[in-house]
Amino acid sequence: MSRSWVSRVGSRWCAWLVALAIAAGCAAPPPPPPETPPVAPARPADAAVIEPPKFVPAPVAATPEARDDARRAARREILDAAWKLVRDKHYDKTLGGVDWTAVRARYEPLALAAPSDAAFYRTLNQMIGELGQSHMMVSGPGADDDIDAGDSGPSPGGAADPGVTIRVIENRPTITRVRPGSPADRAGLSPGFIVTHIGGRELRAQSPSQRPLRPVEERFAVRRRAQQRLMGPAGTKVSLRYLDNSDRPGEALLEREQPEATPVELGHLPPLYPEVRADMRGDVGILAFNIFLLQPVMADIKRAMESFRARHARALIIDLRGNPGGQGAMSMPIAAQLVTQPLTLGTLKFRDFDQVFTATPDLRAVPFTGPVAILTDEGTASASEMLAAGLQEAKRAVVVGDVTLGAVLPSLIEALPGGAVMQYVVADFKTPKGVLLEGRGVQPDRRVIETRAALQSGRDPVIDAALNAVKATNAVKAAKTK
């Protein structure tokens, strides 16, 4: 398998899983065989977690030699369980031609002799990384001890943040959004500021990796690293050093605040904070949401669509920038709001059968038939890519922005021995025209390169390009009706 992925850049489990600048996507268990109507797989937000047996720590060994033997035995058990999960449950029984037994033979001695638990999990994930796919990860107690390879110290856990988004713009980590009223806003931070350090650690425009990354993966990895460092328990503080819009150096100590959104608890995942924003720009509706989550996000989206219809919106922009996906099944009811006939978004290929994603018009609502634009960037992943690609191929939407991450494999999370857990892929995805998005991403119809100057001036060139695209489509339609 030559399709690449950023699976070996960092290893913070919860942040990686929910994809806070990352694109982790998990599927619910595969649907039953064809004789039973299949249930669409879900993704990162409601990751299916198979309950582990109650973990009882092994008694402390009496001698250093005995402790070493016990540690090696525990690690071998974890490695064996992870290796077998891939062998027995991966959607591709041939693993793309990878000699999985030979891979284990190379990595097992390195993993068992690793000097720390963090190094053990890092080696285990390098072994899994030989498959070159997204959504493949093992973590467990001690795995977070060196979350930032190449940096010092782990990032704190917690879902609070100071209200700033950092992305790579013109090859430099740059503030692209400041949440109104947030600590970052009160500190005077502004889009266009160059970020040099977070929490006293340098934030580099490139990320350490075992192999060369695609440019979109590189940008994504930096975005994720920044988000990980910014997040932590509510009330704690994090320092941020920057160059302002006049390139003068500065530093701010920012308090982390809990998101205002109501948290959603799903299984063993950390709390999720779904948010849906709906606005009008003239006669164009703009819809943005941060995660694919059937409840409560889909209900909010339907209310937004009703509002757009009531306000006679003639075009629609769906902003999926930074949206890591979630429940893949949600792509179908969203698309159903936009079509008058059934529309295929793509096909999931499981180990023993295929499943087609079909959007059927919602008979309880008047479909929106005006022009549609979908906005994308390096943080657009998983279910977001499924929706964007399906509507793009059907000529139902124009995609504006930058290439998406290319992380589209549904997955499960399963417990391993010793308190470890593993996320592993259970299906592949291809568009109606047979395009595999994994490692490729959705290619925009209109690529827009964002600049620091645009951020400094308060402009959003991606929104501007999308507005021009849908207005041009409306103009063409109006001319045809005359």
Side-chain angles (χ1 to χ4, degrees):
M1 295 181 179
S2 59
R3 287 175 281 172
S4 59
W5 175 242
V6 65
S7 62
R8 287 170 281 185
V9 181
S11 63
R12 182 182 179 198
W13 175 248
C14 289
W16 181 86
L17 180 63
V18 185
L20 301 162
I22 60 187
C26 302
E35 59 267 17
T36 303
V39 178
R43 310 229 350 157
D46 74 337
V49 180
I50 300 176
E51 292 285 352
K54 185 175 292 185
F55 174 60
V56 179
V60 178
T63 66
E65 293 79 7
R67 286 196 295 270
D68 287 344
D69 289 343
R71 180 169 55 249
R72 288 175 64 87
R75 289 178 176 179
R76 182 177 284 107
E77 191 176 7
I78 294 170
L79 184 147
D80 185 61
W83 184 85
K84 287 179 178 177
L85 269 182
V86 173
R87 181 195 65 186
D88 298 338
K89 297 187 177 182
H90 192 280
Y91 70 86
D92 181 0
K93 296 178 182 179
T94 71
L95 298 180
V98 173
D99 187 337
W100 196 227
T101 300
V103 168
R104 173 175 178 159
R106 290 202 311 273
Y107 282 95
E108 184 167 4
L110 300 175
L112 298 183
S116 67
D117 289 336
F120 163 70
Y121 283 107
R122 188 166 60 249
T123 303
L124 196 54
N125 283 308
Q126 288 171 359
M127 180 184 81
I128 294 169
E130 292 284 338
L131 297 175
Q133 294 183 314
S134 65
H135 304 88
M136 299 282 284
M137 187 76 171
V138 180
S139 188
D144 292 347
D145 289 348
D146 64 350
I147 163 180
D148 257 331
D151 295 315
S152 59
S155 299
D161 68 65
V164 62
T165 299
I166 298 171
R167 298 172 51 213
V168 175
I169 303 295
E170 296 178 340
N171 297 318
R172 305 184 77 180
T174 305
I175 294 177
T176 58
R177 182 176 182 267
V178 176
R179 189 169 64 237
S182 67
D185 189 19
R186 297 194 294 270
L189 301 187
S190 176
F193 282 26
I194 303 297
V195 178
T196 60
H197 295 74
I198 299 177
R201 289 177 285 166
E202 183 182 4
L203 183 63
R204 297 185 294 273
Q206 291 185 331
S207 189
S209 173
Q210 299 291 327
R211 59 164 181 81
L213 302 177
R214 291 180 291 127
V216 65
E217 292 176 320
E218 191 68 73
R219 297 193 302 274
F220 166 75
V222 176
R223 178 177 184 157
R224 175 178 67 174
R225 174 161 286 107
Q227 187 73 21
Q228 288 174 332
R229 293 184 188 171
L230 290 170
M231 294 187 69
T236 60
K237 295 182 179 181
V238 60
S239 63
L240 189 147
R241 289 163 58 183
Y242 57 84
L243 300 176
D244 68 13
N245 284 329
S246 297
D247 285 335
R248 295 171 301 197
E251 183 169 3
L253 186 62
L254 306 174
E255 183 173 344
R256 298 177 172 104
E257 286 187 348
Q258 198 76 15
E260 293 183 2
T262 302
V264 175
E265 300 285 346
L266 283 175
H268 293 264
L269 294 178
L272 304 172
Y273 292 86
E275 179 184 8
V276 177
R277 301 190 305 274
D279 195 9
M280 290 282 291
R281 186 79 64 88
D283 60 358
V284 179
I286 302 177
L287 173 68
F289 56 101
N290 63 346
I291 192 169
F292 279 65
L293 195 61
L294 283 164
Q295 296 296 334
V297 175
M298 193 61 227
D300 290 340
I301 289 176
K302 288 183 177 180
R303 281 191 286 270
M305 293 299 298
E306 291 172 1
S307 172
F308 293 150
R309 294 185 192 98
R311 298 172 67 179
H312 306 291
R314 298 183 63 186
L316 174 66
I317 294 175
I318 302 177
D319 192 346
L320 296 181
R321 291 176 293 180
N323 190 316
Q327 295 176 317
M330 185 174 148
S331 61
M332 291 182 283
I334 293 177
Q337 302 287 314
L338 311 174
V339 298
T340 58
Q341 299 292 329
L343 173 68
T344 297
L345 297 176
T347 301
L348 289 174
K349 181 178 180 58
F350 289 90
R351 192 175 178 95
D352 298 310
F353 60 94
D354 295 347
Q355 180 188 357
V356 178
F357 269 21
T358 301
T360 303
D362 187 348
L363 300 179
R364 295 166 295 181
V366 177
F368 181 83
T369 58
V372 178
I374 295 178
L375 311 187
T376 60
D377 66 7
E378 76 284 345
T380 305
S382 194
S384 293
E385 296 179 277
M386 293 180 178
L387 178 64
L391 293 178
Q392 180 190 49
E393 283 196 358
K395 306 294 185 184
R396 184 61 191 94
V398 58
V399 177
V400 180
D402 211 344
V403 61
T404 65
L405 184 58
V408 198
L409 301 180
S411 61
L412 291 174
I413 299 173
E414 189 161 332
L416 302 180
V421 289
M422 180 177 183
Q423 184 178 17
Y424 61 97
V425 298
V426 294
D428 201 355
F429 178 83
K430 62 182 179 181
T431 69
K433 292 184 178 180
V435 176
L436 295 169
L437 298 178
E438 178 73 10
R440 178 185 183 274
V442 180
Q443 307 299 310
D445 298 294
R446 299 193 181 190
R447 191 178 185 202
V448 180
I449 305 299
E450 298 177 74
T451 66
R452 186 186 184 196
L455 293 169
Q456 291 171 332
S457 66
R459 294 187 298 109
D460 186 336
V462 182
I463 284 281
D464 292 344
L467 288 169
N468 290 334
V470 295
K471 288 177 180 178
T473 303
N474 262 333
V476 170
K477 284 188 175 181
K480 288 181 177 180
T481 58
K482 289 182 179 181

